[in-house]
Structures are given as C-alpha cells and as structure tokens.
Amino acid sequence: MTVKYGICNETFGDMDLSEALQIAKAAGYTGWEVAPFMLTDDVDSFTTEQRKAYRDEVTNAGLQIIGLHWLLAKTEGFHLTTLDEAVRDETSKYLSKLAKLCGDLGGDVMVLGSPQQRNFPSSQTPEEAMASAADCLRGVVPTLQEQGVRIAIEPLGRGEGNFLNTAAEGRELMRMVDSEHVQLHLDVKAMSDEPTEITQIIRDNADAMIHFHANDPNLKGPGMGDVDFVPIFKTLSEVGYDGWVSVEVFDYAMGAEAIANESMRNMLQAQK
C-alpha cells in the first residue's frame, strides 16, 4: 500500500500558514485537512477570492487539500439529531455551505464528528436521534452531488457522547441516508473504545471507509500511546484502502513541529 499522509490544520494553531505548510511538507505529509473555524467564523463572508488564495497557497506549498472536519465545532444554532425540524433544516443548509466551501478549496471529503452538535437528551430515543440525523443529512445530498464531495460519518467513543459510538451504528446511518455521497470515517482513538478489535472493525467496514484518522486514546499522535499501529497499517494494506491517513491530535503540548515529525516517524516505522 502506498500511503497518503495528511495532517489536520488545527494542529498548528495560530502559526503562519506558510510556516505550517512548510513544516508539514518537510515532515512528509502531502494532505492538508481543514477545520473550518481555522479559516473563518462566518462561512458566508469567506469570499471566493479568499478561498482561491487559501487553496493556491496550500497547493503551491506542495500539499493537497483533503477536505474538512470539525464541521459544526464552534458554531451555534445547529444540531444533527434534534427533533426540532427548523434546527435540522438550518443544519442541513449549513452543511451544504460547507460542502460548497470544501469543493471550492479542492477537497472532496467532509468528516462529520462534532459530538456536541449531535448528542441527544434522555428524553429522546436512539431511534429518534438516528431518524433525525438521517433526515438532516438527506437534505445535504444534492449539494454533495453538485460539488463532488462526500460526507464521512465519524463514530466516536462513549467518552465524547451518546450518538454513533460504533462503526456499526455509523453504517446504519449510512443505510438510512442511502446515498453514495455519505460513507464512513474510522478513527483509531474512537475505535479503541469499541469491544471489537480495531483490525476487525477495519476489515468489517473496508467497503464503506473513505477516510481514516491516526491518533491514540491519550489524545496524542500515532505511536505516542499504547495502540500498536503495526497491525493497523497491515490491515489497511490488506483491505486495499487507498484513501488518506490523516493525523489528528487533541493534545498540542509538545508543539506542532514535534507532533508532525514524530507522528510521521512512528507511522513509517509501523510499516517496516
């Protein structure tokens, strides 16, 4: 397997974009994954010219924009599983705006995690939450088709919420939406919370997996915790995965450059 390595842009905080891209490129990454809140706090006012300028800077640095993640983070008024139809409709419209942003930037995948905007209250049943999420995502499909962008549903561990805690639940939501533009994302930190072995989850979902995050339950990069990445990369190769393996961390204490370099070293070592 020839691995395509990406890294998430929030790793670099408020570092100048050109410096961040230089560090990522020097470490061996060729993909750049974008959290929208790193670009703007108002998608509507982020102009065509600004989108082109950002895309060009990334491309000229020798990297490719993979797409978006943290889609609903740091937003207000949006929710995926709410029973409030008006809020779901606004959420569909916002995700459609992000699909347009993703396409304008040259990306083709949007990772849908954002636990705070999808967890449901005890007064709501899991079935109601699933039906609401499916309804919300169906409203985004026409724009996804138009832009050539796919949503990658991200199951998350129980520590982050109560909705879509397993890959199997992610598959069920996929089935309900019933669109080739809505598929599955797998994340090592999240899979570590499942009772099923990570390698088996990958095998079971290889047909639907369109994106992959490399990290550890300790919130650091791949190889910086207890998870053994040797069998993970072996399994990705065995199932013929040809998407991106993107580093996403949540503990930035060691600094962006060290995170980028050590994560890459560890991933390369895991494949020897």
Side-chain angles (χ1 to χ4, degrees):
M1 179 180 71
T2 301
V3 181
K4 299 189 300 183
Y5 299 104
I7 192 165
C8 297
N9 72 334
E10 73 275 8
T11 307
F12 298 87
D14 58 2
M15 184 184 296
D16 182 77
L17 178 59
S18 62
E19 182 182 357
L21 292 169
Q22 184 178 10
I23 289 171
K25 181 64 176 178
Y29 299 92
T30 56
W32 188 251
E33 189 169 332
V34 178
F37 62 78
M38 292 290 293
L39 301 184
T40 178
D41 57 7
D42 181 7
V43 172
D44 289 328
S45 67
F46 196 62
T47 66
T48 300
E49 292 75 18
Q50 288 174 303
R51 297 173 188 213
K52 182 180 184 303
Y54 188 89
R55 176 179 179 172
D56 287 348
E57 185 163 0
V58 174
T59 302
N60 290 339
L63 284 84
Q64 174 184 340
I65 293 181
I66 298 168
L68 309 178
H69 75 146
W70 278 118
L71 304 183
L72 300 177
K74 302 189 180 184
T75 65
E76 295 182 1
F78 304 125
H79 204 279
L80 190 69
T81 64
T82 179
L83 296 177
D84 188 324
E85 186 175 350
V87 172
R88 289 202 310 273
D89 183 60
E90 288 303 309
T91 305
S92 291
K93 290 177 181 176
Y94 183 72
L95 290 173
S96 295
K97 291 178 182 179
L98 291 184
K100 178 66 165 60
L101 171 65
C102 185
D104 288 347
L105 293 176
D108 62 6
V109 65
M110 303 201 310
V111 178
L112 181 55
S114 304
Q116 298 308 312
Q117 290 82 16
R118 74 187 206 187
N119 292 333
F120 59 93
S122 58
S123 59
Q124 191 174 344
T125 68
E127 292 78 15
E128 288 173 326
M130 193 73 84
S132 294
D135 176 71
C136 183
L137 292 180
R138 280 192 288 267
V140 189
V141 168
T143 307
L144 295 173
Q145 293 172 332
E146 175 187 290
Q147 296 296 321
V149 170
R150 294 177 294 174
I151 282 179
I153 295 170
E154 181 177 29
L156 293 170
R158 291 164 294 178
E160 298 192 67
N162 62 358
F163 186 67
L164 298 185
N165 296 134
T166 67
E169 291 171 343
R171 291 294 294 260
E172 175 61 14
L173 180 55
M174 276 178 51
R175 185 194 64 77
M176 293 174 68
V177 178
D178 191 24
S179 168
E180 64 181 4
H181 288 272
V182 179
Q183 300 290 323
L184 189 70
H185 167 86
L186 292 181
D187 175 283
V188 173
K189 178 173 70 70
M191 286 189 287
S192 299
D193 187 59
E194 291 204 38
T196 306
E197 288 285 340
I198 291 175
T199 53
Q200 188 61 50
I201 297 171
I202 293 171
R203 291 189 187 96
D204 290 344
N205 296 284
D207 61 317
M209 176 178 57
I210 60 171
H211 196 51
F212 195 90
H213 275 164
N215 47 27
D216 190 274
N218 68 3
L219 308 183
K220 297 182 180 181
M224 299 182 197
D226 293 333
V227 174
D228 184 1
F229 272 79
V230 172
I232 290 174
F233 277 106
K234 183 174 184 290
T235 305
L236 289 174
S237 179
E238 288 173 349
V239 302
Y241 177 66
D242 60 0
W244 292 93
V245 174
S246 195
V247 171
E248 180 194 39
V249 304
F250 303 90
D251 181 344
Y252 309 116
M254 65 190 294
E257 186 168 7
I259 290 169
N261 286 320
E262 185 171 338
S263 294
M264 180 62 75
R265 282 195 299 269
N266 292 342
M267 290 190 293
L268 292 175
Q269 182 63 37
Q271 295 171 77
K272 289 184 176 178

